[in-house]
């Protein structure tokens, strides 16, 4: 009796999605890097990491202090993260900006750049090393002042103030991998840090 067999060592692309025979334009787009499905094990064979929040703080400094306490107690802090929620962009106005102040700020920036150039040239100078540095700083400050004043004048008075921008969160949570949650909770309680009972 003869038994017929079907070879399956080279399946058709339609059956198993062999992407080697498809052009790149037909493949689904995805982010660069190792392809790992949500909740799947990493490529090194370890279990998927699940984070648990063990403490929450109203400011970043407190969350940072909590992680420092964990580190001081030999906790594997590479298993922790500080997660900010409800982010907002805050622009703090630092003062009124006039042409004179813009020129002064530009002069400071130009002086630093001139110092860098002067030191770089001074390395190869055989005489008057200090004179080269001073000259570079003066020239840099002068050009910086000119550019700062011109740049401010070109705004036409639409932005006559200086400011700085920063991101703030309404709450900062300290998270750890799930398998370390109980240990982190115990360490934080012993260190006097407010901690939440890990929930799964």
């Amino acid at each position: 009796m003869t038994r017929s067999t079907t070879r399956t060592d080279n399946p058709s692309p339609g059956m198993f999605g062999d992407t080697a025979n498809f052009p790149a334009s037909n493949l689904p787009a995805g982010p660069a890097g190792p392809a790992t499905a949500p909740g799947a094990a990493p490529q090194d064979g370890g279990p998927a990491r699940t984070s648990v929040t063990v403490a929450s703080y109203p400011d970043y400094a407190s969350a940072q202090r909590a992680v420092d306490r964990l580190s001081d107690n030999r906790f594997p802090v590479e298993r922790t993260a500080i997660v900010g929620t409800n982010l907002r962009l805050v622009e703090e106005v630092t003062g009124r900006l006039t042409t004179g102040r813009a020129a002064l700020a530009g002069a400071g920036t130009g002086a630093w750049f001139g110092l860098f150039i002067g030191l770089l040239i001074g390395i190869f100078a055989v005489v008057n090393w200090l004179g080269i540095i001073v000259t570079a700083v003066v020239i840099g400050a002068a050009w910086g002042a000119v550019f700062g004043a011109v740049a401010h004048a070109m705004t036409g008075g639409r932005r006559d103030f200086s400011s700085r921008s920063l991101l703030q969160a309404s709450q900062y949570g300290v998270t750890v991998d799930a398998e370390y949650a109980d240990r982190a909770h115990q360490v934080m309680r012993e260190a006097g840090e407010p901690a939440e009972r890990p929930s799964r």
Side-chain angles (χ1 to χ4, degrees):
M1 180 175 62
T2 304
R3 179 178 298 176
S4 61
T5 59
T6 302
R7 293 178 56 88
T8 59
D9 55 343
N10 188 18
S12 63
M15 294 175 57
F16 296 97
D18 186 3
T19 59
N21 298 322
F22 284 155
S25 59
N26 292 339
L27 298 180
T36 303
Q43 292 183 349
D44 58 2
R49 295 177 60 176
T50 303
S51 298
V52 176
T53 301
V54 295
S56 298
Y57 301 92
D59 57 88
Y60 176 78
S62 299
Q64 184 182 31
R65 184 179 65 246
V67 176
D68 285 337
R69 293 286 182 87
L70 290 174
S71 178
D72 293 341
N73 286 273
R74 307 291 183 179
F75 184 84
V77 290
E78 65 273 8
R79 299 290 185 170
T80 66
I82 298 176
V83 181
T85 56
N86 297 329
L87 294 178
R88 60 178 182 173
L89 177 65
V90 179
E91 184 177 7
E92 294 183 352
V93 178
T94 57
R96 185 171 181 267
L97 185 62
T98 62
T99 303
R101 293 190 63 180
L104 185 61
T109 303
W112 277 110
F113 182 73
L115 177 62
F116 171 74
I117 297 299
L119 290 173
L120 190 62
I121 297 175
I123 294 176
F124 305 99
V126 293
V127 294
N128 201 11
W129 180 76
L130 183 60
I132 293 175
I133 294 178
V134 172
T135 302
V137 170
V138 171
I139 294 176
W143 276 107
V146 171
F147 283 125
V150 171
H152 178 262
M154 290 180 64
T155 63
R158 292 188 299 271
R159 187 179 174 88
D160 288 336
F161 63 90
S162 58
S163 64
R164 60 178 181 178
S165 300
L166 64 154
L167 283 175
Q168 290 183 349
S170 62
Q171 191 176 39
Y172 296 87
V174 176
T175 65
V176 301
D177 289 358
E179 60 267 28
Y180 293 90
D182 292 330
R183 180 180 172 189
H185 181 267
Q186 180 181 358
V187 170
M188 295 181 70
R189 291 296 297 270
E190 292 176 354
E193 288 287 340
E196 302 173 5
R197 177 64 63 181
S199 58
R200 296 177 173 80

